Amino acid sequence: MKISIRRSRRAAIAVALGSVLALTATACGDDGSGAGGDKGDEGSGKGKIVFWDNNGGVRTDIWKEIIADFQKANPDIKVEYVGIASTEYQSKVDTAIQGGGLPDVGGVGAAMLAGFSAQNALEPLDGRLEKSSLSGKLNKDMVASLKAAGGGDGTLYSIPTSANNGVLYYRTDLFKKAGLDEPTTWDKFYEAADKLTNAKKNEFGYTIRGGAGSIAQALDAMYGQSGITSFWNGDKTTVNDPKNVAALEKYAALYKKDTPAADLNNDFTKMVAQWDSGTIGMLNHNLGSYQDHVKALGVEKFRGIPQPIGAAGKRVQVSNPVDGLGVFKSSKNKDAAWKFIEFATSAAENSKFNKSAGQVPSNNDAAKDAWVSEAEPTKLAAAALSDGSTTIVQLPYYLPDWNTISKADNEPNFQKVLLGDMSAKDFLDTMADQLNKAQAEWKEQNG
């Protein structure tokens, strides 16, 4: 089954999506330095392995703590940590897949999984998981999500570490002072965004994400308002449905009216820092920034609640990608790389990681720890996802080009929408055309 690849970054090493190469066992203990398609080796289970963190800077401290725990428990293995910013991670891995220099183990979330697996860069992990201490211990939905995102053949290429969810953070002190209701509906959200804005005093009702990562947030706002509950209508995407177009027009109109002008280039780190240090009423992000807000504001000045409810009385939101860890096929020490993943997703370490990140643990025992119910946004998110009040629009992470379409291809265009240089309709029509072509290609490849 031949893959037709429209992205040059994958053309040189396109392979069948379902191919699984046999493992080879040798006594080599080198760190991985191969390119995509390299079979690598099992290695000795000792020596050095290289770990690439896909959220370097933000998660560096907690990963170094986990690595120290691992090396204490496994003195024969040394882990070299490399922190890479989330905005640069995919391009760095893609470059290494083609030119060499891949690590042994790295962060592999659902959004980038299909692209990496299509390039034959990842080691299948089903067999290792089944034989490990993690068997039966991981959240089944998270495992299923990563299997679905892997490209269509149901192979597990990444072990889940955590799940995230969209959160609307709001300043309770500012809302109380202005006499505003909690922004539980989109109408109340827009009312608050307007009422809390006084640009002359550098006070704004909302901060919008205009830089890296802007598309996912925009999609959440669109589907949340339109109430459309599926990403596809047959083989065509609903992204450019007239209801979504109208929703995006209203949302984008907030820029510079009820938001700072600097938002145009804000990625999540800048956006979070701006909200934590200023007088901005609301912020859309996810569970991952909760601890930052606690440190900056204290729990008495803000709340993190599930996304607003739409006009039809239901909450609709887009799916948040499950994060995970994968072994790169080119690794010369896969055994040691797997030991690291198994340790990092054990109950104690997975709990420690997710408490720091403010996210939902993948290890079922870790999810029972007290901190999960004590962190209000995590508790509310878990309830919203399980009480029937929320419909999730599943994003097509299984498309190898999803991450490129939702980032590099369209983030500059979204900035044009904010600036008024491109209409919301033209923006969404362009994205829809790309998605429809990617979906048709995927269906052709996968029958």
Side-chain angles (χ1 to χ4, degrees):
M1 180 174 59
K2 186 179 179 182
I3 293 183
S4 162
I5 302 295
R6 69 183 178 90
R7 302 277 166 212
S8 60
R9 65 183 172 84
R10 291 188 277 128
I13 45 177
V15 293
L17 273 171
S19 72
V20 178
L21 299 181
L23 300 175
T24 57
T26 73
C28 177
D30 294 7
D31 59 307
S33 61
D38 185 344
K39 291 183 181 181
D41 291 302
E42 281 296 286
S44 64
K46 302 177 182 180
K48 173 185 165 185
I49 58 171
V50 178
F51 166 54
W52 282 9
D53 174 11
N54 61 343
N55 202 356
V58 178
R59 303 282 177 252
T60 296
D61 289 346
I62 187 60
W63 273 121
K64 287 190 172 180
E65 190 176 330
I66 291 170
I67 288 169
D69 292 346
F70 174 74
Q71 291 181 156
K72 185 176 181 180
N74 298 270
D76 294 335
I77 304 173
K78 175 177 172 54
V79 181
E80 179 184 325
Y81 171 87
V82 180
I84 301 169
S86 61
T87 53
E88 300 171 6
Y89 190 77
Q90 182 186 351
S91 61
K92 188 170 179 66
V93 173
D94 281 338
T95 299
I97 288 172
Q98 295 191 32
L102 283 166
D104 298 277
V105 59
V108 183
M112 62 186 74
L113 185 53
F116 294 165
S117 65
Q119 297 178 81
N120 200 27
L122 296 170
E123 181 77 5
L125 299 176
D126 301 84
R128 295 179 194 267
L129 176 60
E130 188 177 339
K131 296 173 185 176
S132 78
S133 61
L134 296 172
S135 181
K137 296 287 188 180
L138 299 178
N139 182 289
K140 291 180 180 179
D141 290 336
M142 295 190 203
V143 172
S145 178
L146 288 178
K147 283 189 174 186
D153 66 348
T155 300
L156 183 66
Y157 292 106
S158 181
I159 300 300
T161 54
S162 56
N164 218 330
N165 199 53
V167 178
L168 179 60
Y169 294 103
Y170 75 97
R171 289 281 300 270
T172 51
D173 55 341
L174 300 181
F175 269 69
K176 184 177 180 180
K177 184 179 177 181
L180 287 164
D181 292 336
E182 189 174 53
T184 52
T185 68
W186 282 101
D187 285 345
K188 290 179 179 178
F189 165 84
Y190 282 108
E191 178 190 359
D194 191 56
K195 191 167 183 179
L196 291 173
T197 297
N198 186 336
K200 291 180 180 178
K201 292 185 178 180
N202 204 33
E203 297 171 352
F204 297 94
Y206 185 59
T207 174
I208 198 168
R209 189 167 179 172
S214 60
I215 304 302
Q217 183 172 302
L219 290 173
D220 225 5
M222 284 162 42
Y223 282 92
Q225 294 174 81
S226 71
I228 294 170
T229 57
S230 176
F231 196 79
W232 300 103
N233 182 8
D235 292 331
K236 301 297 182 183
T237 181
T238 58
V239 157
N240 60 337
D241 183 283
K243 290 181 180 178
N244 275 335
V245 173
L248 185 61
E249 287 172 345
K250 187 172 184 179
Y251 181 71
L254 291 170
Y255 176 64
K256 284 181 74 173
K257 181 175 78 74
D258 294 326
T259 80
D263 283 1
L264 184 70
N265 297 305
N266 276 359
D267 59 12
F268 86 89
T269 53
K270 293 176 184 174
M271 183 177 67
V272 166
Q274 179 178 262
W275 193 72
D276 286 345
S277 62
T279 51
I280 299 173
M282 295 176 291
L283 160 76
N284 264 121
H285 192 229
N286 55 46
L287 295 169
S289 60
Y290 173 66
Q291 294 297 339
D292 294 317
H293 310 320
V294 172
K295 290 175 186 175
L297 301 169
V299 294
E300 67 280 355
K301 286 188 178 180
F302 81 97
R303 284 193 79 196
I305 62 174
Q307 299 285 37
I309 293 170
K314 287 217 65 173
R315 180 182 298 108
V316 177
Q317 64 183 69
V318 300
S319 56
N320 274 262
V322 173
D323 206 4
L325 296 170
V327 175
F328 286 95
K329 184 168 285 191
S330 61
S331 169
K332 302 299 189 292
N333 203 351
K334 294 176 186 174
D335 185 46
W338 172 255
K339 286 178 182 176
F340 177 70
I341 291 178
E342 188 176 13
F343 182 88
T345 49
S346 65
E349 302 300 319
N350 189 240
S351 180
K352 184 182 295 186
F353 175 81
N354 282 286
K355 183 176 182 181
S356 171
Q359 297 174 175
V360 181
S362 61
N363 189 295
N364 292 326
D365 291 332
K368 298 173 185 175
D369 286 352
W371 70 263
V372 176
S373 58
E374 291 167 0
E376 187 189 33
T378 305
K379 181 181 178 181
L380 292 175
L385 293 175
S386 61
D387 65 6
S389 66
T390 304
T391 301
I392 302 295
V393 177
Q394 295 294 338
L395 298 180
Y397 301 125
Y398 58 85
L399 294 177
D401 284 324
W402 165 252
N403 222 33
T404 302
I405 291 171
S406 65
K407 292 183 182 294
D409 282 0
N410 286 291
E411 285 177 352
N413 282 345
F414 183 66
Q415 290 180 320
K416 291 179 182 178
V417 174
L418 294 180
L419 291 169
D421 296 333
M422 187 178 197
S423 71
K425 185 177 187 306
D426 286 347
F427 167 71
L428 293 175
D429 283 346
T430 298
M431 186 186 294
D433 183 59
Q434 294 167 341
L435 287 163
N436 292 337
K437 288 177 180 176
Q439 174 77 348
E441 180 183 303
W442 183 84
K443 290 196 76 171
E444 182 182 345
Q445 295 156 12
N446 293 275

